[in-house]
Amino acid sequence: YENTNILFLKDDDPTRLRREQIWMAAQKLIWHLNIHPSDWFLSADLIYRYFAKKRYSWDYSQRIVSAMNRYGYLYCRLTASLFSSVVLDDKKKRALIESNARDGRESEPLTTDVLSELQGWIPKEKSSWLWIAFWFGLRPQEVDMLKTRAWHDGMVTWWLEDNEKTLVVYQPKLQMIRPKRRYRRVPILFREQVMALQMIRTGDFERPSDKQVAKWLPLHVSLYGCRHGFACHMDQRGVDI
């Protein structure tokens, strides 16, 4: 397989370097599956979960699958086995992989000082979105879904417990990674969180665009920085992990 797809190219050829990288990633997935190549086409769910957990982009995931299929075809031909190509065509799971890759980018934590400064001069619905994301430590996708009571897979998106002292939020990102632990409970301990809860109830919030994030937030801080900032701020306030 390597002779046919990689080694015939020159050592410094960019195509060879890309193929080597993809092939290394494909080998890790093959070892992770530990399944005969003739049965790979039955293991699409395992492959989706692997890509979601690794936070690979959809394009990179497709390249890995392409390398797997070429290798699997060769392996099964040499061992006189039947081979069916792996096809990843579930649009819902593709969207989750793309969301994981986007939300998982490294980000510095957002600070309360920056968050407070933004409240006065950016559109209200955008500042409300950032406020909710920060004070409940939510992923961008989780904030977006708070406008409705039901997510597209039929799960309830959020509710209140303990006499409105705890916000319970559905985590669609964990659908493929940890199916049995999809809900997160966030205690409502501070005045700012009560304000955020009121914003959720009104539904008057909207995610900032990438251009707005680059303009408004400090360098190296993305929307995921709200979640990181929440963790840092709660730790500084002495909240038990």
Side-chain angles (χ1 to χ4, degrees), residues 31-183:
W31 294 330
H32 172 79
L33 292 175
N34 195 26
I35 298 171
H36 193 278
S38 61
D39 292 328
W40 283 349
F41 76 102
L42 299 173
S43 308
D45 283 346
L46 294 176
I47 297 172
Y48 278 121
R49 292 194 191 103
Y50 180 86
F51 289 148
K53 189 173 182 179
K54 291 290 187 179
R55 291 177 174 172
Y56 289 158
S57 69
W58 180 250
D59 179 66
Y60 188 58
S61 300
Q62 290 288 80
R63 290 172 184 268
I64 292 173
V65 169
S66 177
M68 278 183 60
N69 282 332
R70 289 197 300 271
Y71 171 79
Y73 171 78
L74 176 62
Y75 185 96
C76 289
R77 191 181 70 182
L78 295 176
T79 57
S81 306
L82 295 175
F83 179 74
S84 295
S85 297
V86 176
V87 178
L88 303 183
D89 55 2
D90 190 314
K91 293 183 179 179
K92 186 188 296 185
K93 291 179 179 177
R94 170 181 175 171
L96 281 171
I97 289 174
E98 290 176 333
S99 176
N100 285 359
R102 182 172 61 251
D103 295 347
R105 289 180 294 190
E106 291 298 323
S107 170
E108 295 292 329
L110 184 65
T111 65
T112 53
D113 290 341
V114 172
L115 185 64
S116 298
E117 289 174 5
L118 293 173
Q119 297 303 304
W121 63 276
I122 68 173
K124 181 181 177 182
E125 66 275 8
K126 308 294 185 180
S127 64
S128 295
W129 191 99
L130 293 170
W131 191 272
I132 293 168
F134 182 93
W135 283 105
F136 286 122
L138 302 178
R139 300 177 178 91
Q141 184 186 27
E142 294 166 0
V143 182
D144 293 340
M145 73 182 186
L146 293 178
K147 286 193 172 186
T148 177
R149 283 289 186 171
W151 192 233
H152 54 62
D153 56 6
M155 306 297 287
V156 178
T157 54
W158 68 276
W159 70 85
L160 294 168
E161 288 183 348
D162 305 327
N163 196 23
E164 299 196 354
K165 295 296 183 183
T166 304
L167 176 69
V168 185
V169 182
Y170 176 52
Q171 302 177 97
K173 178 178 179 179
L174 303 186
Q175 180 180 0
M176 293 188 294
I177 302 173
R178 291 196 301 247
K180 294 183 180 180
R181 190 183 173 190
R182 296 184 184 177
Y183 286 95

